[in-house]
């Protein structure tokens, strides 16, 4: 799926037959199996993301493929291995591709294909945010908004596996009871709406669990200010998205009297910072694959779409209140 200019995905993305590159000595020929449509992919096509590929470009930053053939200098991969992108900008919305070996990461074949296809962005983001900002112990709690997003679903499951309680904030919607049920089934301890954050009943909620030491924000605006109120003194709020397209507003009192910390997180930057530290990446991937094998981490709710129906998938990915990730089957 190629776009030659930036703009609305449904207008600029086209299905094209491209000539395959020749296999060089350090290259790997990959047959793509499945690739999701993430919010960042949409932003890249619109031209609003901090990292843009030279045009024309193939869409998609995430997915899983099977190695068909390797160049003579390739040592870590062999035909039949499963691989995912090692960094962003690979262009995964394609049936086949030839990539340099260092752009790919091997993943085990004994995990479900949808888990592998959605492994490199959301679960990694969730894992790092839960690990890198506060040292959380079993019994501690965290609060997050957009809890039904891909990252939100991964946070619930990874936290649950570590004995950490989650308070999950979602927007009110027509099918709210169904969404609450879904998130509880993943292991959420509490699911509340943004309106509830402002209500006195929140006091009752904190009789059964401690106030959170960590807040995860991917919305911005009012939702964030309300969530911040419930953070413990010296707690940390990490912002990793801004779906409301509104700034994060923090009362001065939160800084002075509660000494809260505001941080930001971007998985792409983490990968850059750890480019010389492959062990950090391997250890995270191993932990995530272990959770998947034990059934403690599942792929987010997915809708599988054949590549030729990409138009419908792009439109569905941009609808509000969508809790299902569109996955292109390649």
């Amino acid at each position: 799926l190629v776009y030659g200019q930036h703009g609305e995905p449904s207008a600029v993305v086209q299905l094209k037959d491209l000539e395959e590159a020749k296999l060089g000595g350090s290259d790997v020929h990959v047959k793509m199996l499945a690739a999701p449509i993430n919010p960042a992919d949409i932003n890249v096509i619109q031209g609003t993301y901090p990292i843009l590929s030279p045009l024309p470009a193939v869409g998609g930053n995430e997915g899983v493929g099977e190695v068909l053939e390797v160049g003579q200098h390739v040592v870590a991969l062999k035909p039949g291995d499963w691989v995912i992108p090692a960094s962003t900008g690979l262009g995964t919305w394609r049936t086949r591709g030839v990539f340099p070996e260092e752009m790919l990461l091997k993943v085990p074949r004994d995990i479900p294909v949808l888990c592998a296809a959605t492994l490199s962005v959301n679960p990694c983001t969730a894992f790092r945010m839960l690990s890198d900002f506060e040292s959380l112990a079993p019994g501690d709690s965290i609060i997050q908004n957009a809890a039904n997003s891909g990252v939100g679903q991964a946070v619930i499951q990874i936290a649950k596996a570590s004995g950490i309680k989650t308070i999950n904030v979602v927007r009110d919607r027509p099918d709210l009871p169904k969404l609450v049920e879904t998130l509880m089934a993943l292991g959420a301890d509490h699911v509340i709406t943004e309106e509830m954050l402002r209500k006195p009943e929140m006091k009752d909620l904190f009789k059964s669990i401690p106030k959170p030491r960590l807040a995860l924000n991917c919305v911005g605006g009012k939702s964030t200010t309300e969530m911040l109120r419930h953070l413990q003194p010296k707690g940390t709020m990490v912002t990793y998205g801004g779906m409301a397209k509104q700034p994060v507003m923090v009362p001065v009192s939160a800084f002075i009297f509660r000494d809260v910390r505001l941080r930001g997180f971007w998985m792409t930057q983490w990968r850059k910072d750890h480019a010389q530290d492959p062990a950090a990446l391997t250890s995270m991937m191993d932990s995530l694959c272990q959770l998947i094998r034990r059934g403690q981490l599942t792929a987010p709710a997915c809708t599988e779409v054949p590549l030729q129906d990409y138009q419908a998938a792009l439109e569905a990915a941009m609808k509000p209140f969508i809790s299902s990730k569109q996955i292109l089957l390649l």
Side-chain angles (χ1 to χ4, degrees):
L1 292 177
V2 181
Y3 56 100
Q5 64 192 67
H6 294 298
E8 279 316 293
S10 52
V12 297
V13 173
Q14 293 172 315
L15 190 54
K16 282 190 175 167
D17 280 328
L18 300 178
E19 192 77 12
E20 256 183 25
K22 292 268 179 290
L23 187 75
S26 307
D27 289 340
V28 179
H29 186 193
V30 177
K31 172 185 186 287
M32 291 304 296
L33 302 172
I37 299 177
N38 289 318
D41 301 327
I42 302 284
N43 297 149
V44 169
I45 297 165
Q46 290 166 332
T48 58
Y49 204 66
I51 293 185
L52 301 175
S53 306
L55 299 175
V58 176
N61 286 299
E62 189 181 34
V64 63
E66 182 176 332
V67 174
L68 295 177
E69 198 185 348
V70 299
Q72 73 251 37
H73 305 311
V74 173
V75 285
L77 296 170
K78 60 184 189 307
D81 284 346
W82 276 10
V83 288
I84 62 174
S87 59
T88 48
L90 194 67
T92 52
W93 300 349
R94 63 172 93 211
T95 51
R96 292 177 174 213
V98 172
F99 308 106
E101 180 184 17
E102 71 268 13
M103 293 183 77
L104 302 168
L105 269 183
K106 182 176 166 178
V107 290
R109 287 189 59 139
D110 64 349
I111 61 173
V113 72
L114 291 182
C115 287
T118 55
L119 183 61
S120 63
V121 180
N122 295 338
C124 289
T125 299
F127 185 91
R128 295 267 53 107
M129 292 194 303
L130 287 169
S131 313
D132 295 354
F133 295 93
E134 289 281 339
S135 44
L136 298 167
D140 283 346
S141 81
I142 67 139
I143 187 168
Q144 64 165 346
N145 55 22
N148 56 311
S149 66
V151 172
Q153 293 176 51
V155 164
I156 290 170
Q157 295 174 82
I158 297 167
K160 172 85 175 168
S162 317
I164 293 156
K165 309 276 185 206
T166 56
I167 302 159
N168 300 281
V169 186
V170 296
R171 285 182 295 175
D172 199 1
R173 63 196 63 214
D175 60 346
L176 185 65
K178 193 170 150 224
L179 176 61
V180 171
E181 197 180 311
T182 306
L183 297 183
M184 295 299 268
L186 286 180
D189 293 283
H190 299 275
V191 181
I192 59 175
T193 62
E194 295 191 343
E195 290 70 32
M196 257 229 32
L197 276 175
R198 298 180 198 113
K199 297 207 165 134
E201 291 91 283
M202 285 298 286
K203 282 206 178 72
D204 299 334
L205 190 147
F206 291 121
K207 283 176 185 158
S208 59
I209 62 171
K211 284 207 158 192
R213 295 195 10 221
L214 180 67
L216 305 177
N217 164 48
C218 96
V219 178
K222 242 194 209 122
S223 156
T224 311
T225 314
E226 295 296 341
M227 196 165 66
L228 199 65
R229 273 191 196 172
H230 302 293
L231 206 54
Q232 272 190 33
K234 289 191 169 17
T236 304
M237 183 172 77
V238 182
T239 292
Y240 67 98
M243 284 162 38
K245 297 189 167 52
Q246 289 166 348
V248 169
M249 309 286 272
V250 182
V252 171
S253 60
F255 279 128
I256 300 173
F257 303 118
R258 298 196 4 258
D259 189 17
V260 298
R261 274 174 286 224
L262 298 195
R263 300 286 304 273
F265 183 77
W266 186 29
M267 194 61 220
T268 304
Q269 189 62 47
W270 186 92
R271 287 181 193 279
K272 271 193 202 149
D273 295 346
H274 293 80
Q276 305 310 314
D277 181 10
L281 186 59
T282 314
S283 126
M284 169 170 68
M285 287 302 183
D286 288 350
S287 303
L288 291 170
C289 290
Q290 282 291 56
L291 289 172
I292 291 168
R293 286 193 196 99
R294 289 191 205 124
Q296 292 176 306
L297 178 61
T298 54
C302 290
T303 304
E304 300 173 46
V305 184
L307 182 63
Q308 58 271 24
D309 298 341
Y310 73 94
Q311 221 44 56
L314 284 169
E315 279 163 28
M318 295 178 71
K319 286 200 179 108
F321 298 128
I322 196 94
S323 290
S324 184
K325 197 179 275 293
Q326 305 293 306
I327 304 263
L328 298 167
L329 297 182
L330 307 161

